[in-house]
Amino acid sequence: MKMEELKQKILKEGMAKDSDILVVNSFLNQQVDTKLMENIGKEFAAYFKDKGVTKILTAESSGIAPALMTAANLGVNCIFARKQKSLTTDDNSYVSTVYSFTKQEMKNLIVEKSFLNEDDKILIIDDFLANGQASKAMIALCNQAGADVVGIGIVIEKSFQEGRKILEEMGYDVYSLARISKLEEGKIEFLD
Amino acid sequence: MKMEELKQKILKEGMAKDSDILVVNSFLNQQVDTKLMENIGKEFAAYFKDKGVTKILTAESSGIAPALMTAANLGVNCIFARKQKSLTTDDNSYVSTVYSFTKQEMKNLIVEKSFLNEDDKILIIDDFLANGQASKAMIALCNQAGADVVGIGIVIEKSFQEGRKILEEMGYDVYSLARISKLEEGKIEFLD
């Protein structure tokens, strides 16, 4: 199995706070383990290399590092959907909505229309898959643009939540590098 | 000059909205030009390679791509300061405050204490330097940890604002890849 390195990192440095929340700030969500992230990028690129990917789409902020490393290995650009408007946001943007569980609030996902078009074959990359809402919001952005979603790459999947099932029922190929079957305070179990 | 590629990109795709705001969403602030970002990482790494850098520090979100590519070239990890607390934020964190001009609001910058310590030699990387407030806030986080800031790498400097002067007067080595002397609607001028 390719990403044994990631699993070992999760076991060593991840902290299960309860049955829902896994803290991996030391290598993914605040500090980035550069070497691990390079290997994550290589692994996603190897899996999706024959899909004709033209661009990677992720959401700020924790998706950016794995998305960029995957983009570098596939030789394509990446886009990070913004969650907040700024003075530089183009009014001509696609917008979808997602509930952030870890921030306990609704967020918009915003991508300028000029960055997604109907010729694009989009690979969605994200740090976590739980209930699938973030991926669904990114799929919605691609649908608005008429772009094809050719796959979804996830660093850590909470397999005890319904995200994978929802996305697979929509017809998407979901490739998760680590699949967690159970969290409880101080304990992390993998699916395989 | 090394980063002629960046300047040409700014001239071709950047949009000066007024005398303050430069929109570079097509390659830096929303879409990331992966190849350009790899070269930016190489250039920062080459300039700061003898400084004994142990970690890169940036702030989410637009700093992450150049910071990660620099980290990859220096063989170190990087940290992105968070601007918003979440359920995974450790209470044991350093916090400083910065005014975001493009978002027109005060933001905290938050880094877990365990990721910065007094043995660290920190290279700060950011997408823009304007009035220097974001860099000062990151310096403050390092000061709280007793970590050394060994340099500041900036992708695009608005040289007509006071950021560089403030940071140089504090004694820091500021290396900016593109220095803009003047913006007006539809027009961008470089310092050299």
Side-chain angles (χ1 to χ4, degrees), chain A residues 2-126:
Chain A
K2 297 274 182 52
M3 288 307 293
E4 189 60 33
E5 178 189 5
L6 172 63
K7 284 179 161 179
Q8 291 307 321
K9 193 83 173 174
I10 292 168
L11 287 175
K12 194 174 160 209
E13 298 184 18
M15 286 190 306
K17 284 181 77 167
D18 55 31
S19 60
D20 269 332
I21 298 181
L22 175 64
V23 181
V24 288
N25 290 343
S26 72
F27 60 91
L28 182 59
N29 290 147
Q30 183 172 125
Q31 182 166 245
V32 177
D33 183 315
T34 306
K35 200 75 216 163
L36 175 66
M37 208 53 63
E38 288 178 316
N39 290 338
I40 284 171
K42 278 179 200 162
E43 180 62 23
F44 282 135
Y47 184 85
F48 291 108
K49 69 180 187 313
D50 299 323
K51 300 287 185 179
V53 175
T54 59
K55 272 178 192 166
I56 311 283
L57 175 63
T58 190
E60 63 179 355
S61 296
S62 293
I64 296 174
L68 181 63
M69 286 309 191
T70 307
N73 278 284
L74 286 172
V76 298
N77 291 342
C78 76
I79 305 164
F80 51 101
R82 307 301 302 238
K83 290 178 179 164
Q84 187 181 10
K85 283 199 174 194
S86 79
L87 294 183
T88 70
T89 306
D90 195 308
D91 291 332
N92 208 13
S93 293
Y94 300 116
V95 180
S96 63
T97 306
V98 60
Y99 180 75
S100 167
F101 174 73
T102 51
K103 293 187 179 133
Q104 307 267 299
E105 63 184 4
M106 295 299 299
K107 291 271 191 188
N108 284 327
L109 289 188
I110 306 165
V111 169
E112 266 181 48
K113 290 188 178 177
S114 58
F115 302 148
L116 284 175
N117 68 68
E118 60 185 15
D119 299 326
D120 275 322
K121 290 175 182 295
I122 302 295
L123 172 59
I124 291 171
I125 296 284
D126 212 355

